[in-house]
Amino acid sequence: MAGRFVTFEGIDGAGKSSHIESLAQWLRGRGHEVLVTREPGGTPLAERLRELVLGEPMDTLTELLLVFAARRDHLERQILPALARGATVLCDRFTDATFAYQGAGRGLGADRIAALEQWVQDERQPDLTLWFDLPAAVAAARRTAAREPDRFELEDEAFFARVREGYAARAKEHAARFVRIEAEGAAADVWQQVVAAVAAKGWW
Ligand code: TYD
């Protein structure tokens, strides 16, 4: 497996999206093939599941199963083929988000998620995870009222504080691949940290 799998995590409002695009340009400028994708989503089927997960009321276990169904399709049809041909995959959220949102946020706990993770991914994990971390209150202030909030964005600050704790626990458990990005500051400072984290790997 020649390519590298990089994931981007953080609570809603952490501001990761623009940095994903910038990093894609940065890597392409160095001559690398880059696939930018997201979860839930990334394939026609998974994008349809995303619409349901973000829009349709459902119980938490159903939500968990749909997220992993989308992930399976995405892995099989996009991520693994891209890695096999040597591309760098930049994925906006992956399984750490499930531990954080469904596990810590919704209170499902880690055991069922770990079982599904094993089932759907075997031992496969991202090579690098950039975790955009900031306090829940700061992220809430950043989320714009400009667009219709989805089912997650409607949650209160306590929910996002739990999600943040979920990410922190995951970062501790998977310290070798996690890099914490201090996301509270100006975009230029955040970008410097992103480039430093990527350059430190020496992969590109
Ligand atoms: P997000 O990635 O923030 O996209 P946008 O910038 O368009 O809002 O939205 C995806 C939402 O899905 C986000 O609120 C987190 C949630 N989510 C989960 O709850 N579990 C998961 O496993 C994943 C991948 C996402």
Side-chain angles (χ1 to χ4, degrees), residues 1-115:
M1 188 88 21
R4 298 289 182 178
F5 183 25
V6 183
T7 59
F8 298 76
E9 298 286 358
I11 59 177
D12 290 82
K16 58 191 161 47
S17 301
S18 62
H19 296 294
I20 298 174
E21 247 344 290
S22 302
L23 185 59
Q25 294 309 325
W26 189 86
L27 289 166
R28 285 178 185 131
R30 293 167 117 75
H32 300 287
E33 182 193 349
V34 180
L35 171 69
V36 177
T37 187
R38 67 173 181 180
E39 291 222 339
T43 65
L45 172 59
E47 289 290 333
R48 287 169 74 180
L49 293 172
R50 177 190 178 92
E51 265 178 49
L52 296 173
V53 170
L54 267 58
E56 195 73 27
M58 64 184 70
D59 89 279
T60 305
L61 190 50
T62 306
E63 187 178 285
L64 175 70
L65 292 168
L66 289 181
V67 161
F68 269 106
R71 180 160 300 137
R72 177 68 184 183
D73 193 58
H74 190 206
L75 266 172
E76 288 296 309
R77 292 160 79 173
Q78 281 280 12
I79 296 174
L80 297 181
L83 294 173
R85 64 175 186 264
T88 297
V89 175
L90 303 183
C91 192
D92 191 346
R93 303 188 183 284
F94 196 63
T95 305
D96 298 313
T98 315
F99 280 92
Y101 280 79
Q102 280 67 46
R106 301 276 199 232
L108 261 187
D111 289 357
R112 267 186 289 200
I113 304 175

Side-chain angles (χ1 to χ4, degrees), residues 68 71 75 94-96 99 110-126 170 173-174 177:
F68 269 106
R71 180 160 300 137
L75 266 172
F94 196 63
T95 305
D96 298 313
F99 280 92
D111 289 357
R112 267 186 289 200
I113 304 175
L116 284 168
E117 179 186 38
Q118 171 70 36
W119 216 38
V120 166
Q121 295 165 226
D122 295 319
E123 300 304 319
R124 182 165 308 285
Q125 292 288 341
R170 212 45 197 164
E173 251 174 71
H174 293 262
R177 70 173 162 86

